[in-house]
Amino acid sequence: RSDGDFALEYFREGLGRFAPSAVVDASSPSDGGGEWGITFLPSLFRVYGHPLVQEILREKAEGGGEAPPSLVVLGSALGNCAVWPALAFGFRATGFDILESCVRKTNDDIIASLKGNGAARLRDLVKFEVANVLSDADRVEPEMKAASVVWSNDHEWGEAAQRKVEEMAYANMSEGSCLVLYRPPLTLQDLRWKAGVKI
């Protein structure tokens, strides 16, 4: 399949799932989201290089076991936030996205086609699944429980969706884990998170 075919399929699926009628007004996207975004590599390294995140990862590593840190990405799109930490740091990563076209493109066209020395290892470390983070909690929550970092690509999610994801993360993540958000948290005071920093 060509990139053009993927782009058409992605936009058709996105329009079908996030219909224009779901938009309340121009300044208030629905809880369905549907906007495309990307996390650039320097931004990702800025997050993982932050002293608080470094401390969390160090404590997880010193906590025993030989398992690598685990990452869950909510709204994984084409997988940058999952693949880069696996390549750079050896993280295990699970990406969830509501759009099947994104998950299929990442799994079938990108990850499966890799060759060379790190390809098999990357396929062992990273997986992507089609899931609605909010309604498929039975699939998402077990991954959150094991995660060192939960990265929520919530930039275009509505406030109700963001709040629900934060509450789900708080209820399921182990103490000492890290939740990364693109927007200021809505539940920082309500749920008594240990710390909140702007990176």
Side-chain angles (χ1 to χ4, degrees):
R1 295 175 358 151
S2 73
D3 286 342
D5 293 338
F6 163 73
L8 285 173
E9 181 181 0
Y10 166 75
F11 284 112
R12 282 187 186 121
E13 185 180 6
L15 287 172
R17 175 150 314 266
F18 311 114
S21 62
V23 177
V24 177
D25 62 51
S27 65
S28 175
S30 76
D31 282 353
E35 296 294 323
W36 180 265
I38 188 167
T39 299
F40 293 100
L41 187 59
S43 300
L44 183 120
F45 280 115
R46 191 170 70 230
V47 169
Y48 284 108
H50 190 277
L52 180 62
V53 177
Q54 287 288 303
E55 178 184 336
I56 287 166
L57 295 175
R58 187 172 29 261
E59 287 174 4
K60 292 282 185 183
E62 293 169 356
E66 303 215 0
S70 177
L71 166 67
V72 172
V73 181
L74 309 176
S76 58
L78 290 178
N80 295 355
C81 289
V83 170
W84 287 336
L87 290 171
F89 310 119
F91 282 25
R92 289 202 168 281
T94 302
F96 292 103
D97 200 276
I98 198 168
L99 296 179
E100 183 181 344
S101 56
C102 284
V103 171
R104 191 172 59 250
K105 176 75 170 175
T106 304
N107 277 334
D108 300 346
D109 294 352
I110 299 172
I111 303 289
S113 68
L114 293 175
K115 297 185 179 11
N117 287 340
R121 173 117 171 98
L122 184 63
R123 283 189 284 276
D124 287 341
L125 291 174
V126 180
K127 67 179 179 178
F128 294 92
E129 298 181 26
V130 176
N132 180 327
V133 170
L134 300 175
S135 61
D136 295 326
D138 59 320
R139 292 178 39 222
V140 176
E141 288 175 348
E143 297 291 339
M144 284 181 157
K145 288 181 190 311
S148 306
V149 176
V150 173
W151 188 297
S152 180
N153 286 327
D154 63 350
H155 188 267
E156 296 297 331
W157 296 1
E159 224 175 79
Q162 181 185 351
R163 181 174 294 280
K164 187 171 179 182
V165 166
E166 288 178 33
E167 290 168 351
M168 185 170 34
Y170 186 84
N172 288 284
M173 293 171 64
S174 64
E175 186 168 336
S177 296
C178 177
L179 174 63
V180 176
L181 305 167
Y182 282 90
R183 299 183 294 185
L186 299 173
T187 63
L188 186 62
Q189 301 303 321
D190 301 345
L191 297 178
R192 300 179 193 251
W193 289 91
K194 181 178 177 182
V197 295
K198 182 176 180 179
I199 301 175

